[in-house]
């Protein structure tokens, strides 16, 4: 499969200065699921002896873009959230190396996935990720944004929910445009959600 060829190629070229996934054409015609599988295999390989220095934030961004661009897939925003949380944890577990630092593009991909979603909570979830960029919202101890108690809890954010240590990123124009796109689609308008 293409996933195995990509991993095999990576393992054969361990001295690469720039990983092949930094190329815009890498896995360009693959499905989000194939990209998902590729990164899962790459992460497993790094845990089983392959140097983990090969895995970087760009590998995660490849998968996040796959999910954010997959229109009509109900699981897309949830998968995008899963991958950004995995990147954040990986970044923390490795001691915050620069190669694993999430960028605004990572968070924008999650906001875009929610903007394309048909889920009733899409606006609330997109706003939570935008707020993470704006205020450094802490999500530790949860299974993802808004899952602490229920989806209504996503709208009830207080100052205590914000951490100063994660406020290194700020939203850009694309962040706000993606959020406005989510709002303009009219999902999540129900009074019991907002």
């Amino acid at each position: 499969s293409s996933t195995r060829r990509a991993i095999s190629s990576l393992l054969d070229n361990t001295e690469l200065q720039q990983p092949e996934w930094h190329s815009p054409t890498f896995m360009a015609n693959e499905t989000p699921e194939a990209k998902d599988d590729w990164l899962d295999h790459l992460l497993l390989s790094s845990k089983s002896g392959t140097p983990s220095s090969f895995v970087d934030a760009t590998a995660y961004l490849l998968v996040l873009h796959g999910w954010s661009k997959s229109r009509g897939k109900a699981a897309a925003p949830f998968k995008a959230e899963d991958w950004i949380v995995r990147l954040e944890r990986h970044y923390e577990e490795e001691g915050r190396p620069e190669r694993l630092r999430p960028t605004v593009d990572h968070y924008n991909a999650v906001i875009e996935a929610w903007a394309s979603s048909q889920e009733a909570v899409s606006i609330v979830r997109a706003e939570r990720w935008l707020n993470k960029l704006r205020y450094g919202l802490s999500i530790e101890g949860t299974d993802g944004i808004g899952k602490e108690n229920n989806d209504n809890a996503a709208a009830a954010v207080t100052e205590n929910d914000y951490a100063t240590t994660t406020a290194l990123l700020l939203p850009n124009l694309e962040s706000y445009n993606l959020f406005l796109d989510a709002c303009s689609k009219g999902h999540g308008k129900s009074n019991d959600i907002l």
Side-chain angles (χ1 to χ4, degrees), residues 62-79:
L62 177 84
V63 175
L64 284 165
H65 276 281
W67 288 114
S68 71
K69 307 288 184 207
S70 65
R71 306 291 185 237
K73 292 190 184 254
F78 298 102
K79 290 293 228 169

Side-chain angles (χ1 to χ4, degrees), residues 7 17 43 51 56 58 72-73 75-76 84 91 97-98 135 142 158 187:
I7 298 265
Q17 290 206 352
L43 289 167
D56 62 8
T58 304
K73 292 190 184 254
I84 192 73
Y91 176 64
E98 188 62 34
Y135 306 114
T142 68
T158 67
H187 304 295

Side-chain angles (χ1 to χ4, degrees), residues 12-47:
D12 291 343
N13 298 303
T14 55
E15 297 300 317
L16 289 176
Q17 290 206 352
Q18 186 166 348
E20 62 187 334
W21 59 82
H22 285 228
S23 167
T25 59
F26 182 75
M27 296 188 85
N29 297 321
E30 297 291 336
T31 66
E33 292 86 358
K35 292 175 183 180
D36 217 60
D37 290 342
W38 167 78
L39 186 51
D40 268 335
H41 283 62
L42 188 62
L43 289 167
L44 285 172
S45 296
S46 71
K47 288 184 180 181

Side-chain angles (χ1 to χ4, degrees), residues 114-147:
W114 279 111
S116 302
S117 172
Q118 298 294 317
E119 292 287 325
V121 295
S122 61
I123 294 172
V124 174
R125 298 298 267 274
E127 183 178 26
R128 284 287 299 246
W129 287 101
L130 178 65
N131 284 339
K132 176 147 185 163
L133 285 173
R134 292 174 61 207
Y135 306 114
L137 181 62
S138 175
I139 59 169
E140 295 202 16
T142 68
D143 291 331
I145 296 298
K147 292 184 183 175

Side-chain angles (χ1 to χ4, degrees), residues 77-124:
F78 298 102
K79 290 293 228 169
E81 280 188 355
D82 180 53
W83 279 108
I84 192 73
V85 169
R86 287 177 72 176
L87 171 58
E88 290 173 333
R89 286 184 185 145
H90 193 176
Y91 176 64
E92 292 297 326
E93 289 169 359
E94 293 281 329
R96 297 177 164 225
E98 188 62 34
R99 69 181 169 76
L100 286 172
R101 181 185 301 274
T103 66
V104 68
D105 294 328
H106 292 87
Y107 293 95
N108 283 348
V110 178
I111 296 168
E112 183 176 7
W114 279 111
S116 302
S117 172
Q118 298 294 317
E119 292 287 325
V121 295
S122 61
I123 294 172
V124 174

